Amino acid sequence: MNILLLEDDLILSAELCKFLESNHFTCDKIYDGETFLRQIKNNSYDLYLLDINVPKINGLDVCQTIRSFDKNTPIIIISAYGDLSDKKDAFTRLADDYLVKPFQFEELLLRVNSLLRRKMPADTSDQEIIRIDDLIINKTEQKVFRAGNEITLTLKEFQLLAYLAEAQGRTVSKQQITEHVWEHNFNTNTNTVEVYINFLRKKIDKDFKVKLIHTRSGFGYYLSPL
């Protein structure tokens, strides 16, 4: 799980990231709101930690900006401001939680884990919901989300993505794809598979640092965060 921290106190920022990393998270730290918003444009995170009083763009405005394009990624405000009016302002901007400094790191960890559990699909036992890194594929509703944002796919794009995901990281050949996705209803000498793989890459991978769709030269394609 990847966490992005907005905190201009260099000592607290370093200590927080060290604590989170010791609890099996990855943590990137940013010291001003402007850089923070640039960072999330090309990188995906599972949760945001935002201090309010930071340079350039304050944490509440950062929260509001995030919510203008991402309704789902959990946001926790960490701030020395403890008045009810401050908390009300944060929740009005759709923050998920608010923690007043100074706080115990263990309490923050409890809140982080609680929010991330809510974000996870409730039941993946029947594979109707498949999660790979920050990609969620809902087969029942034929919906796809990455980093909390819904991605619109055509029917064939969705079927191809679902088939790759169901392979659980194994490489599938072009022939296997044509059998399962197109059922041999097109000329296998065409480059249709390559074209649709490119369609998916533009929609699934283009705007993200971590690429999920990979080619194994001479063998086929696979879906994996590695």
Side-chain angles (χ1 to χ4, degrees):
M1 289 291 180
N2 303 314
I3 294 176
L4 185 60
L5 169 65
L6 175 60
E7 171 60 69
D8 66 335
D9 183 322
L10 302 186
I11 295 175
L12 177 59
S13 178
E15 290 178 347
L16 268 175
C17 276
K18 183 179 179 180
F19 172 78
L20 290 167
E21 288 166 355
S22 72
N23 284 277
H24 312 295
F25 293 95
T26 61
C27 180
D28 294 335
K29 48 188 181 291
I30 302 292
Y31 306 114
D32 70 84
E34 188 176 287
T35 304
F36 188 97
L37 290 174
R38 286 202 303 268
Q39 176 78 3
I40 64 177
K41 285 184 178 180
N42 298 313
N43 299 275
S44 60
Y45 293 92
D46 298 289
L47 184 140
Y48 301 121
L49 294 174
L50 309 179
D51 186 15
I52 293 178
N53 189 22
V54 296
K56 297 185 179 180
I57 303 176
N58 71 61
L60 292 179
D61 288 340
V62 168
C63 178
Q64 185 170 342
T65 300
I66 292 172
R67 286 295 181 243
S68 69
F69 61 85
D70 178 357
K71 307 297 183 185
N72 298 303
T73 302
I75 296 174
I76 299 178
I77 301 295
I78 52 172
S79 174
Y81 302 140
D83 291 344
L84 181 60
S85 59
D86 297 311
K87 297 177 182 179
K88 182 178 179 180
D89 196 3
F91 288 120
T92 298
R93 300 181 194 225
L94 303 182
D96 295 284
D97 204 348
Y98 194 109
L99 195 56
V100 179
K101 300 177 183 176
F103 53 82
Q104 294 185 21
F105 285 6
E106 289 292 341
E107 181 179 358
L108 174 64
L109 181 63
L110 290 173
R111 296 183 185 222
V112 166
N113 284 330
S114 176
L115 286 172
L116 290 175
R117 280 196 300 270
R118 291 184 220 168
K119 183 184 175 186
M120 291 290 285
D123 182 10
T124 59
S125 59
D126 59 0
Q127 292 299 298
E128 291 305 309
I129 295 179
I130 304 173
R131 182 185 178 101
I132 299 174
D133 197 61
D134 60 350
L135 178 72
I136 295 177
I137 303 170
N138 187 323
K139 293 171 61 182
T140 302
E141 299 181 5
Q142 294 192 340
K143 291 184 177 181
V144 175
F145 300 87
R146 184 153 191 199
N149 300 304
E150 185 170 3
I151 298 173
T152 302
L153 300 180
T154 66
L155 177 59
K156 285 302 176 188
E157 288 170 347
F158 180 85
Q159 290 173 338
L160 174 56
L161 181 66
Y163 180 61
L164 291 173
E166 288 166 348
Q168 299 181 340
R170 297 187 303 274
T171 301
V172 292
S173 68
K174 186 191 301 184
Q175 184 66 27
Q176 289 174 311
I177 292 172
T178 62
E179 290 175 3
H180 288 272
V181 178
W182 277 273
E183 299 177 350
H184 292 299
N185 290 326
F186 78 109
N187 184 352
T188 55
N189 292 324
T190 70
N191 66 346
T192 302
V193 173
E194 290 94 329
V195 169
Y196 273 81
I197 288 290
N198 286 333
F199 287 161
L200 283 182
R201 280 181 167 141
K202 289 178 181 178
K203 294 183 177 182
I204 301 297
D205 282 343
K206 181 180 177 182
D207 296 328
F208 296 92
K209 181 178 179 180
V210 176
K211 309 304 180 186
L212 299 179
I213 302 171
H214 306 279
T215 301
R216 187 180 176 197
S217 183
F219 292 89
Y221 306 96
Y222 64 97
L223 192 63
S224 171
L226 304 176

